[in-house]
Structure formats: structure tokens, C-alpha cells
Amino acid sequence: MKPKRILLVAGGRSGEHEVSLQSAQGVLEALPFDTDPAVIAKDGRWLLGRLALDAIEAGHAPRGDHPFPPPVAWYDYDVVFPLLHGRWGEDGTIQGFFEMLGVPYVGADVTASAVCMDKDLSKRILAQAGLPVVPWEVLRKGEPVFVGLEPPFFVKPARAGSSVGIAKVRRYTELRPALNEAFRHDDKVVIEQAVAGVRELEVALLGNVEAEASVVGEVRYEAEFYDYATKYTAGAAELDIPAALDPGTQETVQEMARRAYRVLGVRGMARVDFFLAASGEIYLNELNTIPGFTPFSMYPKLWQASGRPYPELLTRLVELALE
């Protein structure tokens, strides 16, 4: 069997551009295949070859060389591995391009990517399937502002990740600035009830039709919530893997994650995030179809604790793309 060739696509136009390049650096160092990088710069143009490697090493790419579609020999690669976090990469946009090309790619398809990226749509589907989610409301830019929830609540761009543009509102006077910030990132905003005293749990899934679930991990931090700086600053958050949970709670979280994965039609991988309330109630927060792969990201750490080392995890993702 000939060795596999992989095209790793990173960067992107979203606010998670730098996180994507951090993820790419970790994957490039560990992926046990002949791999070429391609980087989408902040201006939407592409960098290839040595320039892409330089951008990954630098951790940012403000400008690219090639407009879309780039001059890539797509059919020379066995699999495309997108590591594009956020909009235009995790939302089905680039997946639709790969589908049109007919090339295998790692991760969720167009529909699942788009639905999981939209916090409102995914909550509607999960709630309809009987999976518990916290109360939420939706506002679109230009609509009259009316919020029926009582503070505290979170204001979030509906289609952004890594806690970009999120604010916690403790009193109604803080609502307008929070909406202004969220609307900078999306024209649709989710307002989500805050649950007091929650523990934040995460589980990693791997598979196509039926997913394997990792051990459950817990994120602990001193910040008021798990914001962008806390997520991507080394040492700002502590990851307890496995989380200190009774076996019944761990099994419930794992089974809820697998149910959500099936309901939303995800394939390849996802990190599923939960809130565990002081009362013992479990709420499903969201599914991330392209989770972080930085050296201190939860997704690879969960699999490592479950007995699947980083290179083996990456190999399995490539195999799943070819199934």
C-alpha cells in the first residue's frame, strides 16, 4: 500500500485564526504521514508550501498570495485535514468545497458542521431530541431588544467559537455593551441563562456512525467564565483528566454525548461540552466539530488519558475520513 499524503489546511478568516495555526503546529509535528500545509490568511488568500510553514511557525498570517480557489493539486492527496476553527472553516463552508471536489476530508460533513456551529439551531435539535440544554433566547441584529431571561446570563455570537465575543451580563445595564460586542462577530446572538455553581465537563468522541467516547474531563479556572484568554493561555485553566465523578455520572455524560453526536449526524470527531449543576442536573452545552489540537487542548489530552496517543489519534481520524 502506498504511503498516504495529507493536505493540512489551517488559519482562516475567523477570530480563531491564531488558535488554528497553533493546532496545525501540533498536528504537523505528530501526524505520521507525508503532510503538506496550506494556510488561509486573515485576508482570505492562501499560502502554500514553504510560506505556509513559515506562517504556522510565526503563528499568524495577515496576508496570503493566492485567491480562492488556490492552485492546489487536490487529487494528489489522499485526505484533506481541515483545522479551521470558527466561521468559514468549522461551519460547513470549506466542507462544501471539498464535497464539490470529491476529495475525502477529516471531520463532520456540511450539514452537521453548519448545525453544530449555530448555537441556536443545535440547541433546538438537541432539545427536540430530549437532551437537556439551558434556557436560551435569540436576537438578530436590527430587531427590538427584549430579553425574557433574568440576569445573570451570557450573550454569545451564535456562530463563533473559542468564547470569542462572549460576555456575562449580571444586570440589564450591561446588556447593550454585551450585544454590541457579540454583534461584531455575528448578526445572530444567543442569550443563555447562567447556571450557578456549575462544573464544566468535556468528553471527546471519535467515529462515524457509532462514536467511541473518551473519559470525561473537567475544566477548572479562576476567571469568571471560560473565556478566550483562559482557554488559550498556558496555565490559566487546569484540566482534570479524568474528572472526579462517580461512575454513574461519567456514564451518563458519555451516553448523552454519543446521543447528541448521532442526533446531529456528526462524523469523524467532536468535543462535547457539558455543565454539571450543584443540584446534579447535567446540561449539554455544545458540540465542537473541529476541537483545538494545541499541545494543551482538551481533545487530544482526553484521548491520551483514554489510552490513545496523539499520533494514533491522528491516524484514526485519517482512516475515518477514508471510510
Side-chain angles (χ1 to χ4, degrees):
M1 183 182 293
K2 71 180 181 69
K4 293 182 177 62
R5 288 193 70 200
I6 311 299
L7 180 68
L8 183 70
V9 183
R13 294 163 52 202
S14 80
E16 298 168 82
H17 173 90
E18 289 79 11
V19 178
S20 170
L21 295 178
Q22 287 181 48
S23 291
Q25 188 155 28
V27 171
L28 272 178
E29 290 170 359
L31 196 61
F33 301 113
D34 179 17
T35 305
D36 293 332
V39 167
I40 304 174
K42 292 286 283 184
D43 66 356
R45 297 169 73 89
W46 292 55
L47 295 167
L48 306 174
R50 182 69 245 178
L51 291 176
L53 281 171
D54 290 344
I56 290 170
E57 290 170 6
H60 62 92
R63 290 176 298 280
D65 287 344
H66 305 286
F68 182 84
V72 171
W74 298 101
Y75 303 107
D76 289 351
Y77 296 98
D78 297 284
V79 171
V80 179
F81 197 140
L83 271 177
L84 298 162
H85 306 308
R87 294 189 75 177
W88 307 293
E90 200 173 351
D91 61 356
T93 305
I94 198 76
Q95 289 78 9
F97 175 60
F98 299 150
E99 292 279 0
M100 291 179 69
L101 288 171
V103 297
Y105 57 93
V106 169
D109 66 9
V110 176
T111 304
S113 297
V115 169
C116 288
M117 191 70 196
D118 190 312
K119 296 176 178 66
D120 172 45
L121 292 181
S122 58
K123 286 179 189 295
R124 290 177 191 271
I125 294 170
L126 293 170
Q128 187 179 39
L131 286 155
V133 296
V134 299
W136 85 100
E137 297 178 1
V138 178
L139 279 175
R140 294 183 181 273
K141 188 178 287 188
E143 289 182 337
V145 176
F146 175 79
V147 178
L149 300 176
E150 289 292 324
F153 48 74
F154 289 96
V155 175
K156 305 179 176 183
R159 294 162 294 197
S162 293
S163 299
V164 170
I166 293 181
K168 185 175 184 178
V169 172
R170 301 158 201 80
R171 56 191 66 85
Y172 286 116
T173 54
E174 299 172 349
L175 176 58
R176 177 54 66 183
L179 286 173
N180 290 342
E181 175 59 22
F183 280 132
R184 285 183 56 240
H185 302 277
D186 197 353
D187 59 7
K188 180 182 179 184
V189 163
V190 167
I191 299 167
E192 189 178 276
Q193 188 70 64
V195 181
V198 297
R199 297 168 64 185
E200 297 206 20
L201 307 177
E202 300 185 351
V203 61
L205 297 183
L206 183 69
N208 286 339
V209 178
E210 293 296 328
E212 302 173 61
S214 72
V215 298
V216 180
E218 180 174 2
V219 183
R220 294 189 295 109
Y221 46 86
E222 294 297 327
E224 189 162 12
F225 66 96
Y226 199 24
D227 59 10
Y228 184 93
T230 304
K231 284 184 176 180
Y232 297 110
T233 302
E238 293 185 27
L239 308 181
D240 291 343
I241 305 173
L245 299 170
D246 63 83
T249 300
Q250 169 150 293
E251 289 171 11
T252 299
V253 168
Q254 289 170 322
E255 181 51 33
M256 285 173 63
R258 283 190 290 257
R259 278 185 61 201
Y261 198 84
R262 288 193 298 271
V263 165
L264 295 173
V266 182
R267 73 178 194 202
M269 61 178 165
R271 194 194 71 238
V272 190
D273 301 346
F274 293 86
F275 298 135
L276 174 61
S279 62
E281 292 179 277
I282 300 169
Y283 299 97
L284 201 158
N285 181 31
E286 63 182 5
L287 281 81
N288 294 272
T289 55
I290 305 183
F293 273 87
T294 68
F296 40 88
S297 292
M298 183 65 110
Y299 186 83
K301 282 181 171 289
L302 285 169
W303 281 118
Q304 188 170 1
S306 304
R308 194 183 288 272
Y310 199 36
E312 184 183 317
L313 169 63
L314 297 171
T315 298
R316 183 62 183 140
L317 285 168
V318 169
E319 291 170 351
L320 288 167
L322 291 167
E323 285 185 1

